[in-house]
Amino acid sequence: MSVSVPLLGTKVRYGRDGWLPLPHILSDTDLKKLVDRIDGISAQRRPEVVHEEGSSAVRALHGCHDFDEVCARLVRLPALVGFAEQLLGGPVYVYQFKVNMKQAHEGAAWPWHQDFAFWHHEDGMAAPDAVNIAIFLDDVTDENGPLEVIPGSQHGGIFEDGTRAEQHSHDWHDHVSAKLEYTVPDDIADELASALGVKRLTGSAGTAVAFHPSIVHSSSNNLSDERRCLLLITYNRIGNAPAHPTRPAFLVGRDSTPLVPADDNSL
Ligand code: SIN
Ligand code: MN
């Protein structure tokens, strides 16, 4: 199966809403292969594996495409690379690769935020000329902490509390924990949500969605019995690579040469 090249209507819709459902990309066999690989990595102790605060539950994995061959192939699938290139209008590279595990009962929230706030302030990314593709590795339901987006909010620039500018820790751990830096202030998130509505991105394992770096999004604690694992790949337009990123390479990809797509869409 492949993701079709974005047609004009698709691009316009993405431009309007800031998110887009994509066709399933992976076969059931490949999805299982990927999930097995992610389970294996999450059992490793390495800097790329981050735990929930005060818990042994794994919260997230980072940069797996740099050390695992299945993940390395995933980011080069022609369906994904082609989609990102068409959407961004040129060659792309992997800016970020992460897997948010959202373990049953223990997976903690992601407060309202915009990814571009982190990438701009911390890494020096000039423009939000990147796209996130989220692949659901588990069934995502209303109960297990789905991603929620505010469609259209990507048009408002970076929403932030200017009085906090001096207080940022510039510690990357605060960019991957439930106590997040660069959150959208509650009153602004409430206003955006009532003006624009909130879309919950639910679907069966294998579902894929694209979303904009500036869209306001969040997800709640996972209080359910079911894990909610999301794999997120951020493709950045080559000309938009930050000049001197300082955060770890597993958070900010350093290889900004154009991705060469794999020969087919299988893992
Ligand atoms: C989540 O995994 O629910 C949050 C994803 C994100 O902020 O990109
Ligand atoms: Mn995010």
Side-chain angles (χ1 to χ4, degrees):
M1 259 178 277
S2 70
V3 177
S4 60
V5 169
L7 301 170
L8 187 58
T10 306
K11 269 191 165 182
V12 169
R13 212 169 120 209
Y14 178 81
R16 184 192 62 191
D17 297 340
W19 79 279
L20 207 57
L22 300 177
H24 281 224
I25 293 146
L26 301 173
S27 66
D28 289 350
T29 312
D30 280 349
L31 184 62
K32 181 170 179 344
K33 189 171 180 177
L34 185 57
V35 171
D36 286 348
R37 200 51 77 103
I38 293 306
D39 286 345
I41 297 169
S42 68
Q44 297 174 15
R45 287 198 91 75
R46 50 188 307 154
E48 294 91 342
V49 177
V50 170
H51 295 81
E52 298 286 359
E53 196 178 340
S55 158
S56 60
V58 173
R59 176 172 174 82
L61 319 176
H62 301 97
C64 309
H65 66 302
D66 278 338
F67 59 84
D68 177 85
E69 70 272 20
V70 174
C71 296
R73 186 167 171 93
L74 175 72
V75 301
R76 294 195 304 115
L77 294 186
L80 296 177
V81 178
F83 172 79
E85 286 177 341
Q86 291 290 322
L87 202 67
L88 300 175
V92 298
Y93 72 98
V94 177
Y95 186 75
Q96 201 166 75
F97 181 110
K98 57 188 184 247
V99 184
N100 291 338
M101 302 297 292
K102 265 293 173 83
Q103 311 283 357
H105 305 291
E106 302 208 61
W110 292 86
W112 290 114
H113 69 279
Q114 296 164 290
D115 293 343
F116 184 58
F118 295 83
W119 302 342
H120 182 62
H121 291 315
E122 293 291 331
D123 307 331
M125 184 191 273
D129 291 348
V131 61
N132 291 309
I133 296 181
I135 301 172
F136 299 5
L137 299 190
D138 294 318
D139 293 341
V140 178
T141 66
D142 287 334
E143 280 73 45
N144 62 0
L147 190 58
E148 300 188 69
V149 299
I150 301 183
S153 58
Q154 78 280 5
H155 292 300
I158 297 179
F159 300 104
E160 55 197 342
D161 178 353
T163 62
R164 281 195 60 198
E166 300 303 315
Q167 297 164 22
H168 291 304
S169 67
H170 303 294
D171 175 348
W172 69 265
H173 296 91
D174 299 334
H175 310 152
V176 298
S177 79
K179 289 189 193 138
L180 215 50
E181 293 264 37
Y182 305 111
T183 52
V184 174
D186 286 345
D187 54 340
I188 295 180
D190 288 350
E191 198 177 324
L192 289 169
S194 39
L196 299 170
V198 174
K199 174 72 184 168
R200 278 189 175 172
L201 306 184
T202 55
S204 57
T207 295
V209 297
F211 64 99
H212 192 280
S214 299
I215 199 169
V216 176
H217 60 288
S218 70
S219 64
S220 58
N221 294 337
N222 183 3
L223 305 176
S224 81
D225 296 337
E226 308 297 334
R227 189 183 75 169
R228 187 239 61 179
C229 186
L230 283 194
L231 187 153
L232 297 124
I233 305 167
T234 305
Y235 293 100
N236 191 16
R237 193 173 55 74
I238 295 292
N240 196 41
H244 304 293
T246 56
R247 294 196 298 164
F250 57 77
L251 285 184
V252 188
R254 298 298 199 268
D255 180 1
S256 59
T257 55
L259 270 180
V260 178
D263 44 359
D264 66 29
N265 280 310
S266 68
L267 293 180

